[in-house]
Amino acid sequence: MTLVLEAAVLGVLTGGVYALMASGLTLIFGVMRIINVGHGALVVLGAYLSFAASRSLGLDPFLTLVITMPVMFLLGVVLQTVFIRPLKTDREALSVLVTYALALGIEGLLGYFFSANYMQLRAWYDTASFPIGGFRITYVYVFGFLLCLSILGVMFLVLYRTTFGASIRATMLNRTAAQLIGIDVDRVSAVAFGIGMATAAAGGVVFGITTAFNPGSHYDLISRLLTIIVLGGLGSLRGAIVAALIMLVSEDITAVVISPVWATFVFFVILVVVLLVRPQGLYGVRVRERI
Amino acid sequence: MKVARRTAVLRIVGLTAVLGVALALPLIAPDPATTNIAVFTVMYIGLATAWNIMGGYTGYISLGHAAFFGFGAYTLGLLLGHLGIAGGYTAFLLVPVAGLATAVLAVGIGWFALRTRAATFVIVTIAFMFMLQLLAENLVGLTGGGAGLSFPVPPWGGDYFNTPYYYAMLGLAGLGLGISWWIRRSKFGLGLLAIRDDEDKALAVGVPTRAFKLTAFVVSATLVGMIGAVYGYYVTYIYPQFVVDPLIGISMVLMVFLGGLGTLSGPVVGALILEPAQLSLAYNFGATRLYLVLYAAVFLLVILLLPRGIVPSVTDLLTRWRSRTGPSAPAPVKVLTP
Amino acid sequence: MSLLQIENLGKRFGGVVAVDDCSLSVEEGSITGLIGPNGSGKTTVFNLVTGFIPKDTGSVRFKSKSIDGLGPDRIYGLGIGRTFQLARIFPRLTALENMLVPVRRKGLRALFSRADWGHEKLRAMEMLEFLEISHVSNTLGGALSYGQRKLLELGAVMMAEPELVLLDEPAGGVNPALLERIGDRIRRLNARGITFLLVEHNMGFVMNLCSDVVVLHRGRPIASGDPEIVRRDPAVLDAYLGA
């Protein structure tokens, strides 16, 4: 029983990371109506950037965020402007191809610079843990969780308490209407993509500290993230968070109760079951265009 | 209408020439390196054409078609293994069976995935592909898991080895093109195009959209499954991640986009250009990771420079050129209020 | 005979009640107008009747048979066609192809035969001529003017020979000459036996064309009957001025 509880707690803690990464992905979809299939690669990029920064500057991985988040944010703005904004027709389909190409390019570059060996971000305290109930929790998981919580908190504050956040939400609800009331949707889109990238950077650090990764890790990651945002409902931040928690807790419990091999499979099974009942996801809206 | 007659004759002559070359290729250039490239190129012509039946005609982009490719391969491999069929020409006879099995799988996946609209559909197809990959890796008793599955080795060899596979792929590509052509001129195809343009409006005028979409999906998947089966037989040993491979799935999509989504010849053009390019990139740069960067760069250039694809862009140019010269220029389209 | 019978139809979207206990009937052979101030639920009624959105309460009967829960394609097959507020046609298909999509065929073999059967094309061209847009039969839908699209949409809906046609703002965004033409066509089609229910804001158009009128306000009918009488009903005036 304690094993299940431990798995559940771990699920919540890792769920926080996935919630952060998924919220960036779903935000990008909501604002630009594109599926950023490269989001996994961006997280991995963030992990590698943190690795490089902590190695060369001797910084604690969490502290590298001070550098990597702004860098990734700017990179996001540039990528959106150069590769995504020019897509006028067939946006949804082409953006998938473009972001996939970006993912491949990133995978190639990372492989070239860092080799295909597995890495993990290290901190001097990364094996330290504290006891709770009948088991132990590693500190890094808690730090990561708190980090994700705070960034999500900031995101919500920006979205719901600032004017710019309101313009992001307006663009998400109705792009044309937002343009009509004077919102610069191109700028909003670029910034949203930047925010998505920044969350990927943060996610990258926590992901990198808790999991071994290599340039090819983005496939597994993106398949999970995509499943999460569909489960939560495309474009819904609340949905992404709830879905991430459900998925990770279920996965970790399955790993303990059944076997780790089938744990990832449970992910998809949950998706299938939910979509049977609610094709639009937990918090999604049934879209009927222009009736 | 002399011009129309002339174009029709040119078309028939051109097609016959292409067909002739295609059929005679192993005789013209029998060296294994060339026939190997030919096998893969024709394979992708078939894959792109098959994918286009769903993605191009209905507008529903499936990024999980690699699932059907791998499923077809595994099905044939398992059939050959369990039925104890030795390598040889008879093995090819079971390819349609693999296709049938893939069709059944596609009905299941399609029924489910098509409950959602376009954006979610893409992701659901990706999810199913990864599910299948996981199953292939973990159902070790059935598929051999990470250790892979072997196919019986055929008795023919040497320089001749590739040739039967080439014709098998050519046959499937021809089948795919035939089906695609037939669908396009049929009432069914008109319904698919209507769905692509405006699905709700299609519903409003009586098109049974779910049934139509599912049919297109299953037809597309079955062809891909059969091609996957031949592929498995060709490479004689398959692994989960190389046969349920997202790169294969995305390549066929890119080829259709390059050539022209929804056109008949677009997928062919796309495959003819990209596959040899892909193979030479892999050959020359495969060792280093930079291969992926180059591939991505090609990818991005194609999408950003030719968003509509080659065939529609060229057709447009030709129409505009023809309307400026020649006696039978078409009358300008009147776009005035009645 | 009442062709379409709507009883206690209700629909809410979150906290907003769009259609509220709405009951009305459309007489066979009539041209009935469904009018009311903006936001009174007219298009929602259309969407509910044609199966585009599920209803919360009530029932809809067509030719005395319930059509509750059927999808839009089945409903069109039963004989109810509809047009949309902003004329919707298939932009990448030619006008002629637009006309051929709705044509009904029986059997799988027919389904996989050529899309352009001779007698179907003939019928389509006849309808296009009737609407005076036959000269654009080979033009892509996306290249047509708005007026041409409206006519095309009407023509296409007719191809499956529906008995009842729901027109959503047929006069919307249309110049007076074209308006005259649209009205005339509707009258002529009505003379051939087709019943119309139209949602419209253009009062002149409604008065000229409709034999019956139903007024909707805040999702429920507040008056119905002869147009001349209804327009003078104080409740109706109040609804329009108050809203």
Side-chain angles (χ1 to χ4, degrees), chain C residues 182-229:
Chain C
I182 291 178
D184 172 69
R185 296 306 185 272
I186 294 176
R187 230 179 264 118
R188 288 211 253 163
L189 288 168
N190 180 246
R192 291 193 203 171
I194 298 169
T195 310
F196 286 93
L197 172 66
L198 42 97
V199 161
E200 199 29 78
H201 283 289
N202 185 327
M203 280 311 130
F205 191 71
V206 171
M207 292 302 150
N208 253 324
L209 212 51
C210 301
S211 51
D212 279 286
V213 145
V214 174
V215 184
L216 230 54
H217 180 49
R218 299 229 178 98
R220 58 167 54 222
I222 56 170
S224 70
D226 186 277
E228 280 301 321
I229 299 174

XYZ file of all heavy atoms in Angstrom, chain C residues 182-229:
374
model
N -34.113 36.927 -56.125
C -34.179 35.831 -55.164
C -35.623 35.597 -54.747
O -36.121 34.461 -54.718
C -33.283 36.119 -53.933
C -31.809 36.060 -54.327
C -33.557 35.122 -52.824
C -30.867 36.386 -53.185
N -36.314 36.704 -54.446
C -37.709 36.593 -54.049
C -38.544 35.914 -55.130
O -39.358 35.024 -54.844
N -38.287 36.309 -56.358
C -39.036 35.738 -57.480
C -38.785 34.234 -57.590
O -39.711 33.442 -57.777
C -38.616 36.437 -58.780
C -39.210 35.774 -59.989
O -40.444 35.870 -60.161
O -38.460 35.112 -60.736
N -37.525 33.854 -57.456
C -37.192 32.414 -57.551
C -37.858 31.617 -56.447
O -38.335 30.502 -56.649
C -35.679 32.196 -57.518
C -34.917 32.798 -58.684
C -35.481 32.333 -60.007
N -34.693 32.799 -61.114
C -34.849 33.958 -61.726
N -35.795 34.794 -61.336
N -34.073 34.289 -62.737
N -37.843 32.203 -55.232
C -38.462 31.489 -54.113
C -39.949 31.287 -54.389
O -40.509 30.202 -54.197
C -38.262 32.251 -52.782
C -36.775 32.278 -52.415
C -39.059 31.604 -51.652
C -36.473 33.093 -51.165
N -40.571 32.354 -54.914
C -42.002 32.256 -55.212
C -42.261 31.166 -56.245
O -43.177 30.365 -56.131
C -42.501 33.604 -55.729
C -43.754 34.090 -55.029
C -44.207 35.433 -55.541
N -43.730 36.533 -54.717
C -42.925 37.500 -55.147
N -42.497 37.508 -56.391
N -42.564 38.464 -54.329
N -41.419 31.123 -57.277
C -41.615 30.143 -58.348
C -41.395 28.718 -57.851
O -42.112 27.790 -58.217
C -40.691 30.441 -59.519
C -41.138 31.676 -60.276
C -40.787 31.553 -61.722
N -39.672 32.407 -62.083
C -38.954 32.263 -63.200
N -39.210 31.281 -64.017
N -37.986 33.096 -63.463
N -40.363 28.548 -57.007
C -40.109 27.216 -56.455
C -41.264 26.804 -55.554
O -41.660 25.638 -55.521
C -38.785 27.198 -55.673
C -37.529 27.265 -56.541
C -36.298 27.541 -55.677
C -37.339 25.963 -57.304
N -41.797 27.781 -54.827
C -42.937 27.506 -53.965
C -44.124 27.048 -54.787
O -44.863 26.145 -54.411
C -43.265 28.744 -53.130
C -44.441 28.517 -52.209
O -45.502 29.140 -52.367
N -44.280 27.636 -51.257
N -44.284 27.695 -55.961
C -45.379 27.317 -56.844
C -45.209 25.879 -57.322
O -46.178 25.185 -57.617
C -45.435 28.267 -58.025
N -43.966 25.410 -57.381
C -43.715 24.017 -57.785
C -43.963 23.054 -56.640
O -43.772 21.851 -56.792
C -42.258 23.852 -58.231
C -41.908 24.551 -59.519
C -40.553 24.046 -59.992
N -39.878 24.978 -60.884
C -38.623 24.840 -61.293
N -37.906 23.811 -60.867
N -38.083 25.701 -62.116
N -44.284 23.594 -55.463
C -44.644 22.718 -54.356
C -43.678 22.661 -53.186
O -43.837 21.855 -52.271
N -42.673 23.540 -53.201
C -41.698 23.484 -52.106
C -42.076 24.471 -51.010
O -42.387 25.624 -51.273
C -40.294 23.791 -52.638
C -39.932 22.715 -53.673
C -39.274 23.818 -51.522
C -38.700 23.024 -54.454
N -42.059 23.965 -49.786
C -42.378 24.803 -48.632
C -41.116 25.503 -48.146
O -40.039 24.929 -48.135
C -42.928 23.926 -47.482
O -43.961 23.101 -48.005
C -43.453 24.785 -46.358
N -41.267 26.776 -47.752
C -40.102 27.515 -47.260
C -40.339 28.045 -45.860
O -41.431 28.515 -45.534
C -39.806 28.711 -48.173
C -39.181 28.328 -49.486
C -39.968 28.105 -50.608
C -37.808 28.183 -49.589
C -39.395 27.748 -51.817
C -37.234 27.830 -50.802
C -38.023 27.609 -51.917
N -39.285 27.983 -45.062
C -39.298 28.666 -43.766
C -38.083 29.560 -43.798
O -36.964 29.086 -43.931
C -39.180 27.657 -42.614
C -38.998 28.264 -41.214
C -40.243 29.033 -40.787
C -38.700 27.174 -40.184
N -38.310 30.875 -43.730
C -37.136 31.723 -43.788
C -36.982 32.653 -42.601
O -37.933 33.196 -42.083
C -37.073 32.511 -45.109
C -38.301 33.160 -45.708
C -38.388 34.624 -45.337
C -38.187 33.066 -47.220
N -35.734 32.759 -42.205
C -35.345 33.706 -41.172
C -34.935 34.970 -41.898
O -34.177 34.914 -42.861
C -34.143 33.173 -40.360
C -33.457 34.297 -39.615
C -34.594 32.103 -39.404
N -35.474 36.084 -41.487
C -35.138 37.299 -42.242
C -35.323 38.548 -41.397
O -36.150 38.575 -40.484
C -36.032 37.364 -43.490
C -35.539 38.284 -44.606
C -34.055 38.461 -44.692
O -33.377 37.556 -45.204
O -33.557 39.505 -44.237
N -34.489 39.548 -41.669
C -34.605 40.836 -40.992
C -35.252 41.885 -41.884
O -35.769 42.878 -41.398
C -33.212 41.338 -40.578
C -32.684 40.637 -39.371
N -33.210 40.845 -38.121
C -31.702 39.719 -39.229
C -32.547 40.085 -37.249
N -31.645 39.396 -37.895
N -35.157 41.640 -43.183
C -35.688 42.610 -44.132
C -37.214 42.521 -44.165
O -37.785 41.620 -44.787
C -35.076 42.312 -45.523
C -35.467 43.319 -46.564
O -36.570 43.865 -46.543
N -34.559 43.590 -47.488
N -37.868 43.432 -43.487
C -39.320 43.366 -43.318
C -40.074 43.442 -44.634
O -41.055 42.728 -44.831
C -39.801 44.497 -42.387
C -39.596 44.169 -40.932
S -40.231 42.526 -40.530
C -38.832 41.853 -39.686
N -39.589 44.289 -45.532
C -40.254 44.413 -46.830
C -40.261 43.065 -47.540
O -41.283 42.621 -48.073
N -39.138 42.428 -47.527
C -38.986 41.112 -48.164
C -39.963 40.121 -47.554
O -40.658 39.375 -48.257
C -37.529 40.653 -47.974
C -37.149 39.444 -48.780
C -36.999 39.523 -50.163
C -36.938 38.214 -48.158
C -36.640 38.402 -50.901
C -36.577 37.102 -48.899
C -36.437 37.190 -50.264
N -40.012 40.105 -46.231
C -40.904 39.182 -45.529
C -42.366 39.454 -45.877
O -43.132 38.539 -46.213
C -40.685 39.285 -44.003
C -41.742 38.503 -43.244
C -39.298 38.787 -43.647
N -42.753 40.711 -45.815
C -44.154 41.067 -46.071
C -44.557 40.673 -47.483
O -45.657 40.173 -47.720
C -44.358 42.579 -45.882
C -44.204 43.026 -44.448
S -45.360 42.169 -43.362
C -44.440 42.132 -41.839
N -43.647 40.888 -48.422
C -43.935 40.584 -49.831
C -44.091 39.104 -50.088
O -44.881 38.680 -50.932
C -42.753 41.058 -50.689
C -43.120 42.288 -51.462
O -44.259 42.407 -51.902
N -42.171 43.188 -51.601
N -43.299 38.326 -49.415
C -43.152 36.927 -49.765
C -43.963 35.958 -48.904
O -44.518 34.984 -49.409
C -41.659 36.574 -49.643
C -41.070 35.524 -50.561
C -41.407 35.815 -52.000
C -39.560 35.495 -50.394
N -44.030 36.237 -47.613
C -44.544 35.223 -46.686
C -46.050 35.222 -46.533
O -46.685 36.259 -46.433
C -43.912 35.398 -45.315
S -42.130 35.273 -45.335
N -46.582 34.009 -46.491
C -48.003 33.852 -46.244
C -48.278 33.814 -44.742
O -49.345 34.153 -44.277
C -48.506 32.564 -46.901
O -47.667 31.490 -46.505
N -47.290 33.370 -43.998
C -47.409 33.293 -42.540
C -46.126 33.807 -41.912
O -45.069 33.725 -42.514
C -47.563 31.829 -42.088
C -48.958 31.331 -42.231
O -49.806 31.737 -41.404
O -49.197 30.563 -43.170
N -46.264 34.303 -40.688
C -45.077 34.814 -40.018
C -45.103 34.410 -38.548
O -46.159 34.384 -37.911
C -45.031 36.355 -40.170
C -44.444 37.016 -38.949
C -44.252 36.738 -41.409
N -43.966 34.032 -38.009
C -43.863 33.740 -36.581
C -42.823 34.689 -36.012
O -41.759 34.860 -36.602
C -43.401 32.284 -36.332
C -43.159 32.037 -34.846
C -44.406 31.300 -36.891
N -43.158 35.318 -34.869
C -42.213 36.248 -34.272
C -41.584 35.619 -33.033
O -42.290 35.150 -32.147
C -42.915 37.563 -33.855
C -41.892 38.552 -33.319
C -43.664 38.132 -35.040
N -40.281 35.620 -33.009
C -39.552 35.055 -31.878
C -38.964 36.198 -31.052
O -38.441 37.170 -31.602
C -38.404 34.191 -32.417
C -38.246 32.777 -31.881
C -39.539 32.011 -32.022
C -37.143 32.063 -32.614
N -39.066 36.076 -29.722
C -38.434 37.067 -28.871
C -37.835 36.354 -27.679
O -38.542 35.635 -26.970
C -39.467 38.103 -28.420
C -38.900 39.169 -27.548
N -37.752 39.865 -27.848
C -39.320 39.650 -26.357
C -37.495 40.741 -26.898
N -38.430 40.631 -25.976
N -36.546 36.513 -27.471
C -35.861 35.851 -26.374
C -36.133 34.343 -26.405
O -36.374 33.721 -25.390
C -36.298 36.403 -25.013
C -35.998 37.879 -24.865
C -35.297 38.193 -23.547
N -35.003 39.634 -23.490
C -35.764 40.513 -22.853
N -36.862 40.103 -22.225
N -35.439 41.791 -22.849
N -36.110 33.780 -27.582
C -36.193 32.337 -27.695
C -37.576 31.747 -27.712
O -37.729 30.537 -27.849
N -38.613 32.560 -27.579
C -39.945 31.956 -27.662
C -40.870 32.766 -28.578
O -40.706 33.964 -28.747
C -40.572 31.749 -26.285
C -40.699 33.019 -25.467
C -41.593 32.837 -24.244
N -41.243 31.754 -23.385
C -42.143 30.945 -22.841
N -43.418 31.075 -23.096
N -41.771 29.963 -22.022
N -41.836 32.078 -29.176
C -42.746 32.771 -30.103
C -43.689 33.687 -29.333
O -44.247 33.277 -28.315
C -43.530 31.637 -30.766
C -42.875 30.369 -30.340
C -42.150 30.640 -29.080
N -43.847 34.909 -29.803
C -44.775 35.806 -29.137
C -45.970 36.188 -30.001
O -46.931 36.780 -29.545
C -44.094 37.111 -28.657
C -43.412 37.812 -29.851
C -43.081 36.803 -27.576
C -42.934 39.204 -29.487
N -45.893 35.829 -31.280
C -47.025 36.110 -32.166
C -46.851 35.290 -33.423
O -45.738 34.939 -33.804
C -47.071 37.595 -32.523
N -47.966 34.982 -34.069
C -47.867 34.272 -35.350
C -49.132 34.492 -36.146
O -50.183 34.809 -35.589
C -47.621 32.783 -35.117
O -48.766 32.170 -34.593
N -49.012 34.303 -37.450
C -50.209 34.450 -38.285
C -49.955 35.293 -39.512
O -48.846 35.325 -40.039
N -50.964 35.942 -39.967
C -50.880 36.778 -41.159
C -49.892 37.912 -40.935
O -49.953 38.589 -39.920
C -52.265 37.344 -41.476
C -52.278 38.109 -42.782
O -51.905 39.298 -42.774
O -52.627 37.489 -43.804
N -49.001 38.141 -41.888
C -47.950 39.154 -41.687
C -48.485 40.538 -41.364
O -47.988 41.206 -40.473
C -47.214 39.180 -43.029
C -47.533 37.892 -43.670
C -48.819 37.410 -43.133
N -49.533 40.947 -42.051
C -50.052 42.302 -41.857
C -50.556 42.486 -40.430
O -50.391 43.532 -39.818
C -51.188 42.578 -42.851
C -50.692 42.943 -44.240
C -49.807 44.186 -44.237
O -50.103 45.138 -43.486
O -48.792 44.200 -44.962
N -51.192 41.445 -39.907
C -51.735 41.532 -38.552
C -50.613 41.507 -37.523
O -50.601 42.281 -36.567
C -52.722 40.369 -38.277
C -53.878 40.464 -39.268
C -53.192 40.387 -36.838
C -54.845 39.309 -39.220
